[in-house]
Amino acid sequence: MLDEDAVTTEEFRSLSAIAKLVIPHDWAGLTLRPPAGVDAHVCLTVGDGDPNAVMKAWRGPAEPEDGDVGRLMTSADAHACGFEAGVQVPIRIANERAGVLTFLAHRPQAYGRETLQHAQTLATYLSTVLSHDDAVRRMSEQLLRLLADVLDIREVFPRVSEIVAAAIPHDRLVLWLFEDQVTHVASNDDGPLIESARVPLRRDPPTRDGGFRLVGDLTRESIELVDLQEQLLAAGYRSLLAIHASTRFQPVTLIFWSKQPHAFSLQDVAVARQVAACVGLAFSHQQLAEAGRQMAEAHARADRLAVRAKSLAAELDLKSGLGRAVGQSPEWTTVLKKATQVAATETTALVQGESGTGKEVVARFIHRASPRRDEPFVAINCAALPEQLLESELFGYERGAFTGAQQAKAGQIELAAGGVLFLDEVSEMSLTAQAKFLRVLQEREFQRLGGTRPIKAHVRVIAATNRDLRKAVEQGVFREDLYYRLQVFEIAIPALRDRTSDVLPLADAFLQDIARSFGRPPAGLTADAKRALLAYSWPGNARELHNALERAAILCEGGLIAAQHLLLPTGVRAAAGETTDLPEVERRTIAQVMQQTRGNKSQAAKRLGLTRTQLYLRLRKYGLDTADS
């Protein structure tokens, strides 16, 4: 009769813990069925679930068909138990079904055919435990305790040999991997290791039908590995027992060696299977952990490479005036001096200035002048992203955090680890995101969306804004505590109209950049063009200056850029000495380009930096319509 106390609560919890490594589950149950028609009763459970509902689901129409091999539960059966997925396998003793082992999960479609195989391995293990004596049960309990939290089985393999020796006496225990080589040999004697056990071995496992191989006397029975047999005999070994076990990634075989002939019998096979099942599960856990680690490292490397590539591309952009700290005015010199002062520290900096003044230029200058210069510079524009997208970009998210989150993703804070995180237009950050980011500055940690684990924020923060943050605080749209955290060191960039001595140096730098990107670079600026540049107020600052010069470089077609190519407002050019008004300049320029392209509107629009629609509108406006070409 089946002993109902054959498995203790502690043992079953240990089994659930090690099973969870290869069969993730929210509920596990072991149901024993005493003979003679006695009603089934649940012996042990782990987790929150209804045992009666589980047994009812097992008694469904599929029972006769699945009675021997187990089954993946249908969605309806799983729902009846309060879960989304389930797997059930029978516990068999002496070829009689004695109970049921069940695993349930809340995650839909959590289990597949591979899960069923792992569950069958666990059922075999339990069947062995239930049908053996106290010595075997103690061995099983010790193995479970030893292997439950092991990530590298090689570290504890000698201890495995010691524990198993109480049930299966042996002189040496070998773990044999077929895709590589023997990774570890454990022995409870001090004899020399068998060298052949460390060379690559054939893929076929040294087992026969039934998944095991018994050799009673090596002097009378040959094994396939002749060299190994000779070395075993030379070392004094006479018999062996080999047991095959499956893991998630590759098969393994445990080989027991003894210096006594006929040291192993068929009675040892069931116990050896139990040991192989435990080792196989632990090895699957080890491989899963290693695969997870390698995948995480691969993702991290890919992310770092992507960030580094972005940083390198940005560094190339710095060769242009837009990215270089170009300027000679006292106002600009003061800005660079402040940036140099704060660069050597870890202080959070706040860069303020109108759009286009070069706030990111200053932030990159601080990064390049700091000890973090070789680490990433990650920039994010808070005004360009909606609230939810901004938070996911900043903090990252875990798998399942929201619809469409199919896998975890690191945020910009993580990608900037060790380097600088630049928050452009920080005033546009929502109050919710502000509260979360405040924690980054205060606690130097954060959590991904949908996550529970705190992540350290190893970044230096540089923020920028074109708004008056003090007024934003007064208006209640920006947190006062975050404001004071950001403006520890403030750098104000004056507008280009307030540092006119920087206009021409910037123009020269921009033209050098344009010359590299154009096939026909402009020859330079005429005197009236320079006067026009100095007379204009540049409300768009350096960005507008660059755009105006790029447009003019197209219009001048490789010659000198004159005032009329800049297309600046009429009043300003008149003050600079230019008397022709803007519409006439534009009309003449378009007519000239149309003549040069022989009326080809596509080519003309491309040369003028206009779309075809924009060109059509101007042609009609100035009476220059011709037939489409």
Side-chain angles (χ1 to χ4, degrees), residues 304-329:
R304 286 196 296 269
L305 284 173
V307 171
R308 185 58 182 154
K310 204 171 182 179
S311 293
L312 287 173
E315 291 297 324
L316 290 176
D317 288 343
L318 294 174
K319 294 178 180 178
S320 73
L322 277 174
R324 280 187 289 171
V326 175
Q328 59 191 22
S329 68

PDB file of all heavy atoms in Angstrom, residues 304-329:
ATOM      1  N   ARG A 304      25.028  49.121 -26.059  1.00  0.00           N
ATOM      2  CA  ARG A 304      26.214  49.976 -25.889  1.00  0.00           C
ATOM      3  C   ARG A 304      26.821  50.355 -27.235  1.00  0.00           C
ATOM      4  O   ARG A 304      27.249  51.497 -27.434  1.00  0.00           O
ATOM      5  CB  ARG A 304      27.245  49.269 -25.013  1.00  0.00           C
ATOM      6  CG  ARG A 304      26.882  49.212 -23.539  1.00  0.00           C
ATOM      7  CD  ARG A 304      28.080  48.868 -22.691  1.00  0.00           C
ATOM      8  NE  ARG A 304      28.591  47.547 -22.985  1.00  0.00           N
ATOM      9  CZ  ARG A 304      28.211  46.436 -22.359  1.00  0.00           C
ATOM     10  NH1 ARG A 304      27.306  46.496 -21.406  1.00  0.00           N
ATOM     11  NH2 ARG A 304      28.740  45.267 -22.680  1.00  0.00           N
ATOM     12  N   LEU A 305      26.852  49.376 -28.160  1.00  0.00           N
ATOM     13  CA  LEU A 305      27.383  49.670 -29.487  1.00  0.00           C
ATOM     14  C   LEU A 305      26.526  50.708 -30.198  1.00  0.00           C
ATOM     15  O   LEU A 305      27.041  51.601 -30.869  1.00  0.00           O
ATOM     16  CB  LEU A 305      27.458  48.385 -30.314  1.00  0.00           C
ATOM     17  CG  LEU A 305      28.599  47.430 -29.974  1.00  0.00           C
ATOM     18  CD1 LEU A 305      28.448  46.132 -30.750  1.00  0.00           C
ATOM     19  CD2 LEU A 305      29.946  48.064 -30.271  1.00  0.00           C
ATOM     20  N   ALA A 306      25.194  50.561 -30.039  1.00  0.00           N
ATOM     21  CA  ALA A 306      24.297  51.518 -30.681  1.00  0.00           C
ATOM     22  C   ALA A 306      24.500  52.915 -30.120  1.00  0.00           C
ATOM     23  O   ALA A 306      24.552  53.903 -30.864  1.00  0.00           O
ATOM     24  CB  ALA A 306      22.845  51.074 -30.485  1.00  0.00           C
ATOM     25  N   VAL A 307      24.636  52.994 -28.780  1.00  0.00           N
ATOM     26  CA  VAL A 307      24.850  54.296 -28.155  1.00  0.00           C
ATOM     27  C   VAL A 307      26.201  54.868 -28.566  1.00  0.00           C
ATOM     28  O   VAL A 307      26.336  56.052 -28.864  1.00  0.00           O
ATOM     29  CB  VAL A 307      24.761  54.175 -26.619  1.00  0.00           C
ATOM     30  CG1 VAL A 307      25.206  55.470 -25.949  1.00  0.00           C
ATOM     31  CG2 VAL A 307      23.338  53.857 -26.207  1.00  0.00           C
ATOM     32  N   ARG A 308      27.215  53.994 -28.598  1.00  0.00           N
ATOM     33  CA  ARG A 308      28.551  54.458 -28.978  1.00  0.00           C
ATOM     34  C   ARG A 308      28.563  54.944 -30.428  1.00  0.00           C
ATOM     35  O   ARG A 308      29.162  55.972 -30.749  1.00  0.00           O
ATOM     36  CB  ARG A 308      29.566  53.322 -28.789  1.00  0.00           C
ATOM     37  CG  ARG A 308      31.007  53.745 -29.040  1.00  0.00           C
ATOM     38  CD  ARG A 308      31.417  54.879 -28.146  1.00  0.00           C
ATOM     39  NE  ARG A 308      32.773  55.333 -28.393  1.00  0.00           N
ATOM     40  CZ  ARG A 308      33.213  56.547 -28.141  1.00  0.00           C
ATOM     41  NH1 ARG A 308      32.377  57.448 -27.628  1.00  0.00           N
ATOM     42  NH2 ARG A 308      34.453  56.894 -28.378  1.00  0.00           N
ATOM     43  N   ALA A 309      27.869  54.176 -31.303  1.00  0.00           N
ATOM     44  CA  ALA A 309      27.796  54.594 -32.700  1.00  0.00           C
ATOM     45  C   ALA A 309      27.104  55.936 -32.827  1.00  0.00           C
ATOM     46  O   ALA A 309      27.513  56.800 -33.611  1.00  0.00           O
ATOM     47  CB  ALA A 309      27.051  53.530 -33.520  1.00  0.00           C
ATOM     48  N   LYS A 310      26.052  56.111 -32.019  1.00  0.00           N
ATOM     49  CA  LYS A 310      25.336  57.388 -32.039  1.00  0.00           C
ATOM     50  C   LYS A 310      26.244  58.516 -31.553  1.00  0.00           C
ATOM     51  O   LYS A 310      26.249  59.618 -32.101  1.00  0.00           O
ATOM     52  CB  LYS A 310      24.103  57.268 -31.134  1.00  0.00           C
ATOM     53  CG  LYS A 310      22.994  58.236 -31.461  1.00  0.00           C
ATOM     54  CD  LYS A 310      21.747  57.888 -30.675  1.00  0.00           C
ATOM     55  CE  LYS A 310      20.598  58.829 -31.023  1.00  0.00           C
ATOM     56  NZ  LYS A 310      19.369  58.475 -30.280  1.00  0.00           N
ATOM     57  N   SER A 311      27.018  58.205 -30.496  1.00  0.00           N
ATOM     58  CA  SER A 311      27.933  59.218 -29.964  1.00  0.00           C
ATOM     59  C   SER A 311      28.999  59.575 -30.991  1.00  0.00           C
ATOM     60  O   SER A 311      29.353  60.740 -31.165  1.00  0.00           O
ATOM     61  CB  SER A 311      28.597  58.703 -28.679  1.00  0.00           C
ATOM     62  OG  SER A 311      27.651  58.567 -27.655  1.00  0.00           O
ATOM     63  N   LEU A 312      29.513  58.537 -31.708  1.00  0.00           N
ATOM     64  CA  LEU A 312      30.542  58.796 -32.713  1.00  0.00           C
ATOM     65  C   LEU A 312      29.974  59.623 -33.862  1.00  0.00           C
ATOM     66  O   LEU A 312      30.633  60.520 -34.379  1.00  0.00           O
ATOM     67  CB  LEU A 312      31.097  57.476 -33.233  1.00  0.00           C
ATOM     68  CG  LEU A 312      31.998  56.717 -32.265  1.00  0.00           C
ATOM     69  CD1 LEU A 312      32.345  55.349 -32.829  1.00  0.00           C
ATOM     70  CD2 LEU A 312      33.270  57.504 -31.977  1.00  0.00           C
ATOM     71  N   ALA A 313      28.725  59.305 -34.247  1.00  0.00           N
ATOM     72  CA  ALA A 313      28.091  60.098 -35.295  1.00  0.00           C
ATOM     73  C   ALA A 313      27.924  61.537 -34.847  1.00  0.00           C
ATOM     74  O   ALA A 313      28.136  62.485 -35.615  1.00  0.00           O
ATOM     75  CB  ALA A 313      26.734  59.489 -35.656  1.00  0.00           C
ATOM     76  N   ALA A 314      27.567  61.688 -33.581  1.00  0.00           N
ATOM     77  CA  ALA A 314      27.410  63.043 -33.043  1.00  0.00           C
ATOM     78  C   ALA A 314      28.756  63.759 -33.004  1.00  0.00           C
ATOM     79  O   ALA A 314      28.848  64.959 -33.255  1.00  0.00           O
ATOM     80  CB  ALA A 314      26.803  62.984 -31.648  1.00  0.00           C
ATOM     81  N   GLU A 315      29.819  62.998 -32.691  1.00  0.00           N
ATOM     82  CA  GLU A 315      31.149  63.609 -32.671  1.00  0.00           C
ATOM     83  C   GLU A 315      31.535  64.095 -34.066  1.00  0.00           C
ATOM     84  O   GLU A 315      32.184  65.123 -34.226  1.00  0.00           O
ATOM     85  CB  GLU A 315      32.184  62.599 -32.158  1.00  0.00           C
ATOM     86  CG  GLU A 315      32.042  62.262 -30.687  1.00  0.00           C
ATOM     87  CD  GLU A 315      32.257  63.481 -29.804  1.00  0.00           C
ATOM     88  OE1 GLU A 315      33.095  64.319 -30.148  1.00  0.00           O
ATOM     89  OE2 GLU A 315      31.582  63.587 -28.776  1.00  0.00           O
ATOM     90  N   LEU A 316      31.117  63.328 -35.103  1.00  0.00           N
ATOM     91  CA  LEU A 316      31.385  63.791 -36.463  1.00  0.00           C
ATOM     92  C   LEU A 316      30.619  65.070 -36.756  1.00  0.00           C
ATOM     93  O   LEU A 316      31.100  65.967 -37.439  1.00  0.00           O
ATOM     94  CB  LEU A 316      30.990  62.702 -37.463  1.00  0.00           C
ATOM     95  CG  LEU A 316      31.870  61.453 -37.469  1.00  0.00           C
ATOM     96  CD1 LEU A 316      31.320  60.421 -38.430  1.00  0.00           C
ATOM     97  CD2 LEU A 316      33.305  61.794 -37.837  1.00  0.00           C
ATOM     98  N   ASP A 317      29.380  65.162 -36.204  1.00  0.00           N
ATOM     99  CA  ASP A 317      28.602  66.385 -36.384  1.00  0.00           C
ATOM    100  C   ASP A 317      29.289  67.581 -35.742  1.00  0.00           C
ATOM    101  O   ASP A 317      29.097  68.723 -36.149  1.00  0.00           O
ATOM    102  CB  ASP A 317      27.214  66.233 -35.764  1.00  0.00           C
ATOM    103  CG  ASP A 317      26.344  65.296 -36.577  1.00  0.00           C
ATOM    104  OD1 ASP A 317      26.696  65.052 -37.747  1.00  0.00           O
ATOM    105  OD2 ASP A 317      25.338  64.815 -36.041  1.00  0.00           O
ATOM    106  N   LEU A 318      30.112  67.297 -34.740  1.00  0.00           N
ATOM    107  CA  LEU A 318      30.775  68.395 -34.036  1.00  0.00           C
ATOM    108  C   LEU A 318      31.781  69.110 -34.941  1.00  0.00           C
ATOM    109  O   LEU A 318      32.263  70.188 -34.622  1.00  0.00           O
ATOM    110  CB  LEU A 318      31.505  67.871 -32.791  1.00  0.00           C
ATOM    111  CG  LEU A 318      30.577  67.324 -31.699  1.00  0.00           C
ATOM    112  CD1 LEU A 318      31.384  66.709 -30.584  1.00  0.00           C
ATOM    113  CD2 LEU A 318      29.718  68.442 -31.154  1.00  0.00           C
ATOM    114  N   LYS A 319      32.120  68.444 -36.058  1.00  0.00           N
ATOM    115  CA  LYS A 319      33.041  69.100 -36.988  1.00  0.00           C
ATOM    116  C   LYS A 319      32.354  70.250 -37.721  1.00  0.00           C
ATOM    117  O   LYS A 319      32.996  71.057 -38.372  1.00  0.00           O
ATOM    118  CB  LYS A 319      33.562  68.078 -38.000  1.00  0.00           C
ATOM    119  CG  LYS A 319      34.437  67.005 -37.355  1.00  0.00           C
ATOM    120  CD  LYS A 319      34.894  65.982 -38.373  1.00  0.00           C
ATOM    121  CE  LYS A 319      35.757  64.908 -37.731  1.00  0.00           C
ATOM    122  NZ  LYS A 319      36.185  63.878 -38.704  1.00  0.00           N
ATOM    123  N   SER A 320      31.039  70.285 -37.652  1.00  0.00           N
ATOM    124  CA  SER A 320      30.314  71.393 -38.252  1.00  0.00           C
ATOM    125  C   SER A 320      30.131  72.502 -37.231  1.00  0.00           C
ATOM    126  O   SER A 320      30.257  72.282 -36.039  1.00  0.00           O
ATOM    127  CB  SER A 320      28.948  70.921 -38.756  1.00  0.00           C
ATOM    128  OG  SER A 320      28.100  70.699 -37.651  1.00  0.00           O
ATOM    129  N   GLY A 321      29.819  73.700 -37.720  1.00  0.00           N
ATOM    130  CA  GLY A 321      29.625  74.818 -36.805  1.00  0.00           C
ATOM    131  C   GLY A 321      28.495  74.595 -35.831  1.00  0.00           C
ATOM    132  O   GLY A 321      28.500  75.123 -34.735  1.00  0.00           O
ATOM    133  N   LEU A 322      27.491  73.815 -36.239  1.00  0.00           N
ATOM    134  CA  LEU A 322      26.368  73.555 -35.346  1.00  0.00           C
ATOM    135  C   LEU A 322      26.804  72.814 -34.107  1.00  0.00           C
ATOM    136  O   LEU A 322      26.215  72.922 -33.052  1.00  0.00           O
ATOM    137  CB  LEU A 322      25.294  72.731 -36.067  1.00  0.00           C
ATOM    138  CG  LEU A 322      24.327  73.508 -36.946  1.00  0.00           C
ATOM    139  CD1 LEU A 322      23.422  72.551 -37.690  1.00  0.00           C
ATOM    140  CD2 LEU A 322      23.496  74.468 -36.104  1.00  0.00           C
ATOM    141  N   GLY A 323      27.842  72.009 -34.214  1.00  0.00           N
ATOM    142  CA  GLY A 323      28.256  71.202 -33.077  1.00  0.00           C
ATOM    143  C   GLY A 323      29.504  71.696 -32.406  1.00  0.00           C
ATOM    144  O   GLY A 323      29.819  71.275 -31.300  1.00  0.00           O
ATOM    145  N   ARG A 324      30.235  72.595 -33.087  1.00  0.00           N
ATOM    146  CA  ARG A 324      31.480  73.085 -32.490  1.00  0.00           C
ATOM    147  C   ARG A 324      31.231  74.306 -31.633  1.00  0.00           C
ATOM    148  O   ARG A 324      30.314  75.087 -31.880  1.00  0.00           O
ATOM    149  CB  ARG A 324      32.470  73.436 -33.601  1.00  0.00           C
ATOM    150  CG  ARG A 324      33.170  72.218 -34.170  1.00  0.00           C
ATOM    151  CD  ARG A 324      34.249  72.636 -35.140  1.00  0.00           C
ATOM    152  NE  ARG A 324      33.652  73.166 -36.367  1.00  0.00           N
ATOM    153  CZ  ARG A 324      34.376  73.765 -37.317  1.00  0.00           C
ATOM    154  NH1 ARG A 324      35.661  73.942 -37.145  1.00  0.00           N
ATOM    155  NH2 ARG A 324      33.783  74.200 -38.410  1.00  0.00           N
ATOM    156  N   ALA A 325      32.054  74.441 -30.628  1.00  0.00           N
ATOM    157  CA  ALA A 325      31.931  75.607 -29.736  1.00  0.00           C
ATOM    158  C   ALA A 325      32.619  76.805 -30.387  1.00  0.00           C
ATOM    159  O   ALA A 325      33.662  77.279 -29.934  1.00  0.00           O
ATOM    160  CB  ALA A 325      32.558  75.292 -28.384  1.00  0.00           C
ATOM    161  N   VAL A 326      32.024  77.296 -31.495  1.00  0.00           N
ATOM    162  CA  VAL A 326      32.623  78.375 -32.282  1.00  0.00           C
ATOM    163  C   VAL A 326      32.147  79.719 -31.749  1.00  0.00           C
ATOM    164  O   VAL A 326      30.961  79.915 -31.501  1.00  0.00           O
ATOM    165  CB  VAL A 326      32.246  78.232 -33.767  1.00  0.00           C
ATOM    166  CG1 VAL A 326      32.770  79.417 -34.576  1.00  0.00           C
ATOM    167  CG2 VAL A 326      32.795  76.925 -34.323  1.00  0.00           C
ATOM    168  N   GLY A 327      33.027  80.644 -31.609  1.00  0.00           N
ATOM    169  CA  GLY A 327      32.681  81.987 -31.166  1.00  0.00           C
ATOM    170  C   GLY A 327      33.853  82.649 -30.466  1.00  0.00           C
ATOM    171  O   GLY A 327      34.717  81.982 -29.902  1.00  0.00           O
ATOM    172  N   GLN A 328      33.871  83.995 -30.527  1.00  0.00           N
ATOM    173  CA  GLN A 328      34.973  84.739 -29.906  1.00  0.00           C
ATOM    174  C   GLN A 328      34.487  85.915 -29.067  1.00  0.00           C
ATOM    175  O   GLN A 328      35.283  86.645 -28.481  1.00  0.00           O
ATOM    176  CB  GLN A 328      35.916  85.270 -30.994  1.00  0.00           C
ATOM    177  CG  GLN A 328      35.219  86.192 -32.011  1.00  0.00           C
ATOM    178  CD  GLN A 328      36.082  86.495 -33.211  1.00  0.00           C
ATOM    179  OE1 GLN A 328      37.015  85.764 -33.525  1.00  0.00           O
ATOM    180  NE2 GLN A 328      35.800  87.626 -33.875  1.00  0.00           N
ATOM    181  N   SER A 329      33.177  86.092 -28.992  1.00  0.00           N
ATOM    182  CA  SER A 329      32.646  87.203 -28.216  1.00  0.00           C
ATOM    183  C   SER A 329      32.880  86.986 -26.729  1.00  0.00           C
ATOM    184  O   SER A 329      33.003  85.838 -26.269  1.00  0.00           O
ATOM    185  CB  SER A 329      31.140  87.344 -28.476  1.00  0.00           C
ATOM    186  OG  SER A 329      30.445  86.222 -27.940  1.00  0.00           O
TER     187      SER A 329
END
